[in-house]
């Protein structure tokens, strides 16, 4: 059995349990929820969500909120991780309290930073990561959420080429096609992608640039812009600075919102009129969310959690109930490392073994490997994939070959050293000739060693092609995988089983209230499963 360390997501159940009966319902108009639900239904949302939406709209339910910018083909993996965390936390709160809790995914459709979301990265069968990018940069100020979905349809063949050879690539392409057929804009595409992947356990996807939503939030934004929020933001920043924490926002950002006109946005400083549609900036967006919806908890990445610490005085000033912040799920996907398990003892002895991460493979079974073997193996692949492949290739060479090569190299070197000494006694210039020959012979021995390692790498790659691009797959662009790789990657290799594995892992993490040790429960699943999920815990990246 594999011994594993389970990590919770630091869910503050004490505060959440007490928050449910005390969280007041919002005073703003919630009629926009009806149009949001109709839009979601047309984009593939499960009908089972409707009763939860109605309960929230009638003041009988609560929400858990997460969100992300609209991204090309849905964005990176952590977008999916956020949605799953919100869904499973909402489910867990419902189970504990008996109250209706609706998971909400807030897409930032009113954002205009196209460059940040215009690329998506897909792996091929060898783990090599390939970029698909929308090169047609729109005019400045264009709302990304209002871009036509046809732009993404035009890149479909590039996605197909990137995923060629992966077992479920056709299923991914069918889901992308059907989602884009439902959608007219990028914001709608984001919702359709999420519903396609999340299936019957999806979330209500809310477009932050939706006209009905922003119209309902206009009274709140008007009141916020009339207050001296700069002082509150400075107060929050001073508290962070005094605590030795970084300050996220300068005071003037408290009044930096936007005016939406058609498919573009301009700064509010350029002027606005009573009938204009106002949209919040990064400071006021969390407050608008919590003013519009009865939010119990916000699921965030590390930068979101950090900057929310500065917003406390604004919540107090605007009389908005401040939600409990829960860190999102974190994972690293690793190819199944077949053909290298026999090297586990050699790999575990490397200098990297001291810094292996905690992890939790979700496809667990009680009849797994002996304690520690594959656990350490996969952890090393995450900690240092380059060292892992090098060590695996070295360990793959037959022990007899390594010993004979080392012995021959040492013996020849020793005999040539003796020959050099004898030659020097006869003629001191002869020693230089012997030393030159000794260096050349030693170089040939080194070539034999290098070639044998290359052959070992080639054999490993033939049996497990994903090893070829392991480093690039685990650390694409030398950045955390979950911030770069498309969320379609695990679906292209394992199909919908990958999502269910992730969902089970998130559910276990959400309901785990403290770190615990498990020495008898799980392994890495069947040998033909391509992905293992490691590195569960609070995220350390940036969102």
């Amino acid at each position: 059995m594999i011994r594993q360390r389970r990590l919770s997501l630091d869910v503050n159940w004490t505060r959440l349990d007490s928050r449910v009966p005390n969280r007041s319902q919002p005073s703003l108009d919630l009629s926009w929820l009806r149009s949001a639900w109709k839009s979601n239904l047309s984009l593939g949302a499960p009908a089972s969500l409707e009763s939860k939406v109605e309960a929230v709209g009638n003041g009988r339910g609560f929400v858990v909120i997460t969100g992300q910018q609209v991204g090309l083909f849905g964005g990176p993996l952590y977008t999916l991780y956020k949605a799953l965390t919100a869904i499973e936390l909402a489910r867990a709160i419902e189970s504990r309290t008996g109250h209706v809790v609706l998971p909400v995914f807030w897409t930032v459709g009113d954002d205009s930073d196209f460059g940040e979301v215009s690329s998506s990265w897909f792996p091929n069968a060898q783990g090599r990561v390939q970029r698909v990018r929308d090169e047609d940069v729109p005019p400045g100020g264009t709302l990304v959420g209002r871009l036509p979905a046809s732009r993404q349809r035009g890149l479909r063949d590039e996605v197909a080429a990137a995923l060629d050879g992966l077992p479920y690539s056709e299923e991914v392409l069918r889901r992308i096609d059907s989602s884009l057929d439902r959608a007219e804009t990028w914001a709608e595409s984001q919702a359709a992608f999420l519903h396609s992947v999340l299936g019957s356990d999806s979330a209500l996807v809310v477009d932050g640039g939706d006209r009905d939503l922003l119209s309902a939030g206009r009274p709140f934004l008007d009141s916020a812009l009339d207050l001296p929020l700069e002082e509150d933001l400075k107060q929050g920043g001073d508290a962070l600075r005094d605590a030795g924490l970084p300050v996220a926002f300068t005071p003037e950002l408290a009044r930096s919102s936007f005016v939406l006109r058609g498919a573009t946005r301009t700064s509010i400083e350029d002027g606005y009129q009573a009938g204009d549609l106002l949209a919040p900036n990064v400071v006021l967006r969390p407050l608008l969310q919590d003013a519009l919806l009865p939010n119990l908890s916000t699921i965030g990445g590390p930068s979101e959690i950090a900057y929310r610490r500065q917003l406390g005085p604004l919540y107090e000033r605007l009389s908005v109930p401040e939600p409990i912040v829960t860190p999102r799920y974190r994972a690293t996907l690793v190819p199944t490392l077949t053909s290298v398990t026999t090297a586990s003892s050699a790999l575990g002895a490397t200098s990297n073994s001291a810094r292996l991460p905690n992890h939790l493979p979700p496809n667990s079974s009680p009849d797994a490997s002996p304690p520690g073997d594959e656990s350490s193996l996969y952890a090393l692949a995450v900690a240092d994939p380059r060292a892992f492949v090098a060590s695996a290739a070295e360990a793959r060479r037959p022990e007899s070959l390594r010993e004979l090569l080392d012995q021959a190299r040492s013996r020849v070197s020793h005999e040539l050293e003796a020959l050099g000494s004898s030659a020097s006694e006869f003629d001191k210039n002869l020693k230089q000739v012997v030393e030159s020959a000794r260096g050349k012979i030693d170089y040939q021995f080194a070539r034999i060693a290098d070639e044998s390692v290359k052959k070992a790498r080639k054999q490993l790659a033939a049996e497990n092609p994903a090893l070829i691009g392991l480093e690039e797959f685990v650390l694409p662009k030398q950045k955390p995988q979950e911030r770069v790789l498309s969320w379609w990657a695990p679906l292209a290799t394992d199909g919908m089983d990958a999502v269910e594995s992730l969902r089970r892992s998130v559910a276990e993490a959400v309901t785990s209230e403290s770190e615990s040790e498990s020495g008898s429960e799980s392994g890495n699943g069947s040998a033909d499963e391509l992905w293992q999920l490691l590195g569960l815990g609070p995220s350390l990246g940036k969102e």
Side-chain angles (χ1 to χ4, degrees):
M1 312 298 171
I2 288 187
R3 183 174 180 82
Q4 41 182 299
R5 185 171 178 82
R6 298 178 183 270
L7 296 180
S8 76
L9 288 179
D10 293 339
V11 178
N12 193 326
W13 283 114
T14 300
R15 292 184 63 198
L16 276 171
D17 288 341
S18 63
R19 176 63 59 91
V20 174
N22 297 316
R23 190 358 172 144
S24 60
Q25 291 292 328
S27 59
L28 296 177
D29 178 20
L30 279 174
S31 61
W32 61 270
L33 270 177
R34 287 192 289 273
S35 61
W37 166 244
K38 289 180 181 178
S39 175
N40 273 253
L41 197 58
S42 70
L43 295 169
S48 57
L49 274 180
E50 185 172 12
S51 62
K52 294 180 185 291
V53 175
E54 289 181 352
V56 172
N58 294 330
R60 295 182 290 103
F62 303 94
V63 302
V64 168
I65 297 179
T66 191
Q68 188 60 34
Q69 295 159 289
V70 175
L72 182 66
F73 296 109
L77 275 164
Y78 70 71
T79 304
L80 179 61
Y81 298 165
K82 282 182 170 182
L84 287 171
T85 308
I87 291 166
E88 294 305 322
L89 181 59
R91 192 198 312 276
I93 296 173
E94 276 195 341
S95 176
R96 292 172 70 101
T97 68
H99 289 275
V100 173
V101 184
L102 171 71
V104 171
F105 191 97
W106 185 291
T107 62
V108 189
D110 52 318
D111 187 52
S112 62
D113 191 349
F114 178 76
E116 191 173 1
V117 299
S118 60
S119 297
S120 195
W121 298 79
F122 298 87
N124 61 18
Q126 290 75 42
R128 301 290 190 193
V129 178
Q130 301 175 68
R131 182 185 192 185
V132 175
R133 183 181 181 185
D134 187 341
E135 303 279 2
D136 185 12
V137 180
T142 299
L143 302 179
V144 175
R146 303 280 179 88
L147 292 173
S150 57
R151 293 172 63 115
Q152 299 197 43
R153 291 191 196 98
L155 297 170
R156 188 260 193 198
D157 289 346
E158 292 187 37
V159 177
L163 297 176
D164 185 44
L166 291 176
Y168 291 90
S169 59
E170 289 302 319
E171 179 177 345
V172 166
L173 292 172
R174 282 196 298 271
R175 290 182 180 275
I176 288 176
D177 289 341
S178 63
S179 297
L180 291 175
D181 286 344
R182 294 176 181 267
E184 295 183 2
T185 65
W186 276 37
E188 290 184 352
S189 299
Q190 187 88 353
F193 291 146
L194 281 166
H195 293 317
S196 175
V197 171
L198 298 172
S200 60
D201 288 317
S202 193
L204 180 73
V205 182
V206 171
D207 177 9
D210 176 72
R211 173 171 292 276
D212 291 341
L213 180 154
L214 291 176
S215 295
R218 176 64 188 265
F220 172 80
L221 291 176
D222 282 339
S223 65
L225 293 171
D226 285 340
L227 294 173
L229 298 183
E230 298 94 332
E231 298 176 11
D232 299 307
L233 200 56
K234 181 179 183 302
Q235 178 186 342
D238 290 342
L240 288 178
R241 192 177 292 107
D242 292 344
L245 298 172
V247 176
F249 304 123
T250 56
E252 57 268 20
L253 280 175
R255 302 186 60 81
S256 179
S257 293
F258 301 97
V259 179
L260 304 191
R261 294 190 176 100
T264 62
R265 76 177 189 181
T266 58
S267 172
I268 201 171
E269 295 176 359
D270 296 335
Y272 67 98
Q273 299 174 354
D276 284 338
L277 203 61
L278 300 188
N281 68 348
V282 66
V283 172
L284 290 179
R285 185 181 302 121
L287 289 112
L288 176 62
Q289 291 172 349
D290 299 329
L292 282 170
L293 292 165
N295 184 20
L296 297 174
S297 181
T298 293
I299 310 300
S303 67
E304 293 163 322
I305 293 171
Y307 73 60
R308 277 181 170 269
R309 295 191 184 104
Q310 193 175 345
L311 301 182
L314 281 76
Y315 274 92
E316 185 175 354
R317 168 86 69 176
L318 292 165
S319 300
V320 176
E322 189 170 2
I324 296 164
V325 179
T326 301
R328 65 164 172 82
Y329 171 89
R330 185 189 183 200
T332 301
L333 306 178
V334 183
T336 294
L337 304 174
T338 57
S339 309
V340 294
T341 54
T342 55
S344 59
S345 59
L347 296 174
T350 69
S351 61
N352 297 292
S353 60
R355 53 186 176 92
L356 301 182
N358 297 311
H359 61 283
L360 172 62
N363 292 325
S364 336
S365 63
D367 54 345
S369 305
D373 282 359
E374 293 193 13
S375 171
S376 297
L377 193 71
Y378 283 98
L380 178 58
V382 171
D384 193 335
R386 181 181 299 178
F388 172 84
V389 174
S391 298
E394 178 63 30
R396 177 63 178 259
R397 293 193 303 159
E399 186 176 354
S400 59
L401 173 62
R402 295 199 305 268
E403 289 181 353
L404 285 173
L405 184 59
D406 290 344
Q407 290 171 6
R409 188 174 186 178
S410 176
R411 183 173 63 252
V412 170
S413 178
H414 178 73
E415 290 180 356
L416 285 174
E417 184 178 3
L419 177 61
S421 297
S422 177
S424 179
E425 293 175 2
F426 175 65
D427 187 319
K428 62 182 181 180
N429 292 325
L430 281 178
K431 184 174 182 179
Q432 294 180 352
V433 177
V434 174
E435 285 299 318
S436 176
R438 181 185 177 190
K440 293 176 181 178
I441 293 171
D442 192 68
Y443 170 75
Q444 294 302 322
F445 273 115
R447 279 194 61 197
I448 295 172
D450 289 344
E451 285 299 316
S452 66
V453 171
K454 289 179 182 178
K455 298 297 183 183
R457 282 178 178 265
K458 189 173 181 180
Q459 291 177 16
L460 285 172
E463 296 168 0
N464 192 341
L467 279 175
I468 297 173
L470 181 64
E471 180 181 8
E472 187 176 339
F473 182 82
V474 172
L475 286 172
K477 300 171 60 183
Q478 293 301 303
K479 295 180 179 179
Q481 179 196 75
E482 59 188 8
R483 293 192 50 76
V484 177
L485 211 60
S486 167
W487 81 34
W488 296 104
L491 275 78
T493 57
D494 267 11
M496 289 302 294
D497 287 347
V499 178
E500 293 311 308
S501 294
L502 281 165
R503 192 188 299 276
R504 289 194 297 271
S505 290
V506 175
E508 290 175 7
V510 164
T511 55
S512 174
E513 298 187 39
S514 60
E515 293 187 6
S516 62
E517 295 282 337
S518 172
S520 61
E521 293 169 13
S522 67
N524 290 318
S526 60
D528 60 347
E529 287 174 340
L530 187 58
W531 310 115
Q532 302 296 333
L533 306 168
L534 311 175
L536 188 61
S539 172
L540 300 177
K542 180 184 177 184
E543 260 133 77

